[in-house]
Amino acid sequence: MPSFLQIVANTPLWVWPLMAFVLWLGLQGLRPRIIPWWRLAILPMVGLATSLAGIAQSAHPAWAATGWALALLAFLPLGWTFGQGRPVRLHPEDAKLEIAGGWFALVFGVSIFAVRYAMGVLFGVLPALRGEPFWICFSGAVGMIAAIGIGWLANLLWRARCSTLVAPCA
């Protein structure tokens, strides 16, 4: 088993700017701001893209897709719940969102990075695991991260839309 220093030394160089970008996005989420809706969607879409990439890279994409779909269904409500506590309001004149600061984006971004990094290290050190049914399904099950991000985003966008309506949303 390689040491921590060997793992870090053998990590491709492109990973570190990616980590810095994820941290930057997460730190932006700590402060209140007014942004276009698509900026709020960046990290959830990164989570979705990386989980779909995990399916595509799997030894058995159908098994990984099954794990992904089950994780997506199971964790969407959790993401929706995480979105509940964050105040958000739509500015109808320019369609931007006024959103309170919070920890979600930072924790979510680091989670995406950590899970993908850990899976990459695991499969790099023990490549035979790529063919094991449990690990194939688990690689798809990282869709739970995507589900949490999508649920969070959906809740915020729904509540932002409701903030401009005369009658409250159900």
Side-chain angles (χ1 to χ4, degrees), residues 3-166:
S3 71
F4 175 75
L5 290 175
Q6 289 171 316
I7 290 170
V8 171
N10 289 313
T11 298
L13 288 177
W14 61 265
V15 169
W16 306 118
L18 178 63
M19 183 181 76
F21 178 66
V22 166
L23 289 173
W24 177 80
L25 281 175
L27 292 171
Q28 295 298 307
L30 292 175
R31 59 182 176 77
R33 60 202 198 250
I34 298 173
I35 58 173
W37 70 269
W38 59 265
R39 285 257 326 265
L40 197 59
I42 291 174
L43 276 176
M45 292 305 103
V46 167
L48 180 62
T50 59
S51 69
L52 292 175
I55 292 171
Q57 296 167 352
S58 172
H60 294 283
W63 294 359
T66 301
W68 182 84
L70 292 173
L72 190 73
L73 291 173
F75 284 87
L76 271 172
L78 182 61
W80 182 271
T81 302
F82 285 154
Q84 276 301 110
R86 194 153 190 201
V88 63
R89 187 170 66 93
L90 179 65
H91 288 238
E93 62 279 356
D94 60 4
K96 290 188 176 182
L97 300 176
E98 180 178 348
I99 186 163
W103 288 94
F104 180 83
L106 182 60
V107 172
F108 181 73
V110 169
S111 297
I112 294 169
F113 184 86
V115 168
R116 291 294 293 171
Y117 188 83
M119 295 292 287
V121 168
L122 181 67
F123 292 150
V125 171
L126 301 168
L129 292 181
R130 282 189 179 273
E132 295 290 325
F134 172 80
W135 289 104
I136 292 168
C137 290
F138 184 76
S139 68
V142 296
M144 64 187 151
I145 295 172
I148 290 170
I150 292 167
W152 174 81
L153 177 64
N155 183 297
L156 290 174
L157 294 177
W158 173 260
R159 288 187 305 108
R161 182 183 168 276
C162 292
S163 72
T164 62
L165 300 176
V166 176

